[in-house]
Amino acid sequence: MYSEKVMDHFSNPRNVGELKDANGIGTVGNATCGDIMKVYLKVENGIIQDVSFKTFGCGAAIATSSMATEMVKGKSLEEALKVSNIAVMEALDGLPPQKVHCSVLAEEAIHAAIEDYRKNQA
Amino acid sequence: MNRIYLDNAATTPLSPEVLKAMMPFLMGHYGNASSIHDTGRDARRAIDEARKQVAGFIGAKPNEVYFTSGGTESDNWALKGVAYANRNKGNHIITSAIEHPAVLETAKWLETQGFGVTYLPAGANGILSLEDVEKAITNRTILISIMAANNEIGTLQPVAAIGALARAHKIPFHTDAVQAAGAIRIDVNAWQADLLSLSGHKFHGPKGMGVLYVRSGTRMMPLLHGGAQERNRRAGTENVAGIVGLGQAAQNAGMFIEENAEKITRLRNRLIDGILSTISHVRLNGDRGSRLPNNANLSFRYIEGEALLLHLDLNGIAASSGSACASGSLEPSHVLLSIGLDAEDAHSSLRFTLSEATTEDEINTVLALLPGIVDKLRAMSPLAS
Ligand SMILES: Cc1ncc(COP(=O)(O)O)c(C=O)c1O
Ligand SMILES: [Zn+2]
């Protein structure tokens, strides 16, 4: 059901855990829908220097969390905001149709973390 | 990799003996059982024999056994057939909130057709209360349908007591015994069941083959209209090979129920006790005592069920989960929610269902692997901290 890339990111997820010196944190999702994702950002001079995540969720949720964090690492906030769930899914060689909604979470979690960072700076 | 199959509630492998019984009817004996000639009579004899085998398996008379295309058709037919045949008497149906979708969705559809349905909740232990059933009965009640054993949490329902209650009120009683078949002894008279559903593939028979038992004298409409097959009640040229396979599977399943139940229960308890003693924040779903011998359903807090399933699968272990993401729906298991789990615990559930072929080594392998998988997933869970 899942592509090899999805299974790779699911079994060996990148950027797992908490970032001790994060300056932007975003949590999205809820237990009702079944997936919850928390993203930690360390932003310096408008660039995402480091990023990590924690996810309660299915294979698709964990794999998209892993891939999305890889894709925004080293990017400016503006660039990171443009990383869509579609781009993350493409990078994973696709997801089954019933799993597309799980991939939206990663995009939303990154947006929430960036918003949190901006609020902290204001 | 040695594969360990612990998803026998989903389906079971076809037994070689069943396949052997079916083969002649897939190859040489191609007759239509309705034909007068010798080739047709071969098929007729084989169907008659299978009907006797199934009757023996559930304590029925052969002419009360109807072959269908599976558990889903049997459940649909039982509910719709009785509801429409008794429209002049009333329009109220009693069932439970933890039925299989084959019953629940049929009941919901009947609601759109002018019938009223009471969905009784199960208690926190996953067992219905007889008192609740009794209180739900009205003088408009025309059917009570309560499953014998739940497919997710394995809890056994008090079907004999419900059957007696239904009989006392002269209300037809249907029970979905799809999960009970082969696991516990079925007796339509002891249970006072008027209708009972079976599905072949749950006890080493063919997929797409089922049975509806209908007690003689039960008012019932056909579901499939057409030819005169199954005594004018279920039209369509018989799937002779499938029927023969189902009959053989029923005969085999009836032979070792008590012996298998003892062995499977012991291994299942080893699995449950092993998990509860080595992994923290785990709950067993459904009553510990009154459940199918082969069922272990547990919630692993802070972890989503599909992620657990995938890790087990990578290690060659097949199980199932009530999480929404595993089932492809947006909602977690209606059964787990109904017995009072919160959404998080319902998403965190894992179901192992053993068989008589399950070995102690296999259980030990699961017990050795599971703690590591749980640790890994909990380490990445935002809920565990
Ligand atoms: C309790 C119960 N009822 C009905 C069914 C449906 O049976 P079938 O797959 O033969 O249509 C199942 C199978 O999953 C079941 O577990
Ligand atoms: Zn998901």
Side-chain angles (χ1 to χ4, degrees), chain A residues 33-35 57-61 99 101-102, chain B residues 304 325:
Chain A
C33 82
D35 294 319
C58 64
K99 293 291 184 176
H101 76 102
C102 310
Chain B
E304 197 274 342
C325 276

Side-chain angles (χ1 to χ4, degrees), chain B residues 77-255:
Chain B
W77 185 17
L79 269 70
K80 293 173 189 170
V82 171
Y84 278 95
N86 291 284
R87 250 191 152 160
N88 60 333
K89 289 193 181 157
N91 70 341
H92 179 234
I93 296 166
I94 299 171
T95 186
S96 85
I98 62 168
E99 298 294 315
H100 188 274
V103 167
L104 276 185
E105 295 301 318
T106 304
K108 278 191 213 158
W109 180 80
L110 283 169
E111 283 188 279
T112 70
Q113 305 300 306
F115 293 92
V117 182
T118 300
Y119 302 91
L120 297 172
N125 60 357
I127 299 175
L128 294 173
S129 110
L130 190 61
E131 217 175 77
D132 285 353
V133 181
E134 183 151 31
K135 275 194 231 142
I137 294 174
T138 73
N139 58 8
R140 305 275 297 154
T141 306
I142 51 171
L143 175 66
I144 298 176
S145 176
I146 303 289
M147 68 198 326
N150 182 265
N151 46 299
E152 294 189 31
I153 54 179
T155 46
L156 303 175
Q157 304 303 326
V159 278
I162 296 170
L165 183 66
R167 182 67 55 82
H169 286 83
K170 298 196 169 63
I171 300 166
F173 171 49
H174 166 249
T175 185
D176 175 337
V178 166
Q179 291 291 337
I184 60 170
R185 195 61 62 196
I186 296 175
D187 185 332
V188 292
N189 292 321
W191 293 4
Q192 303 198 40
D194 299 300
L195 306 111
L196 180 142
S197 305
L198 299 177
S199 171
H201 71 100
K202 309 288 187 180
F203 51 93
H204 305 291
K207 293 173 176 58
M209 274 310 305
V211 163
L212 184 64
Y213 159 81
V214 183
R215 184 177 294 281
S216 48
T218 305
R219 282 157 55 108
M220 185 74 176
M221 292 290 194
L223 182 65
L224 300 185
H225 301 266
Q229 292 88 354
E230 298 295 280
R231 300 178 298 292
N232 276 318
R233 281 181 136 172
R234 200 276 185 183
T237 299
E238 296 88 342
N239 174 356
V240 184
I243 289 170
V244 167
L246 182 81
Q248 187 65 49
Q251 179 170 323
N252 295 355
M255 279 193 287

Side-chain angles (χ1 to χ4, degrees), chain B residues 14-90:
Chain B
L14 191 74
S15 116
E17 202 185 339
V18 170
L19 178 64
K20 193 163 159 252
M22 292 171 72
M23 280 314 284
F25 299 93
L26 291 165
M27 304 290 291
H29 297 292
Y30 49 78
N32 184 322
S34 301
S35 305
I36 297 292
H37 47 67
D38 183 59
T39 312
R41 289 201 305 273
D42 277 351
R44 168 62 49 210
R45 265 192 298 275
I47 292 174
D48 289 346
E49 179 57 27
R51 209 183 299 283
K52 281 188 209 141
Q53 290 170 313
V54 172
F57 180 54
I58 59 175
K61 295 191 239 69
N63 66 2
E64 297 172 318
V65 170
Y66 297 84
F67 292 110
T68 68
S69 66
T72 299
E73 184 189 328
S74 297
D75 287 344
N76 268 266
W77 185 17
L79 269 70
K80 293 173 189 170
V82 171
Y84 278 95
N86 291 284
R87 250 191 152 160
N88 60 333
K89 289 193 181 157

Side-chain angles (χ1 to χ4, degrees), chain A residues 48-111:
Chain A
I48 297 175
Q49 295 295 344
D50 207 353
V51 53
S52 73
F53 77 91
K54 282 192 144 192
T55 290
F56 166 93
C58 64
I62 291 173
T64 50
S65 305
S66 167
M67 180 57 93
T69 51
E70 282 286 271
M71 287 171 75
V72 300
K73 199 187 273 184
K75 290 217 160 80
S76 71
L77 296 181
E78 286 67 34
E79 285 169 326
L81 283 169
K82 285 189 204 132
V83 173
S84 67
N85 74 305
I86 309 276
V88 174
M89 279 200 297
E90 274 169 9
L92 287 167
D93 293 338
L95 283 174
Q98 76 273 21
K99 293 291 184 176
V100 172
H101 76 102
C102 310
S103 75
V104 178
L105 221 55
E107 178 188 323
E108 288 177 355
I110 287 166
H111 284 217

Side-chain angles (χ1 to χ4, degrees), chain A residues 2 11 31-32 55 58-59 99, chain B residues 302 304 306 325 347 376 380 382:
Chain A
Y2 287 130
S11 8
T32 312
T55 290
C58 64
K99 293 291 184 176
Chain B
Y302 316 130
E304 197 274 342
E306 192 205 82
C325 276
H347 284 293
K376 182 174 167 155
M380 71 167 80

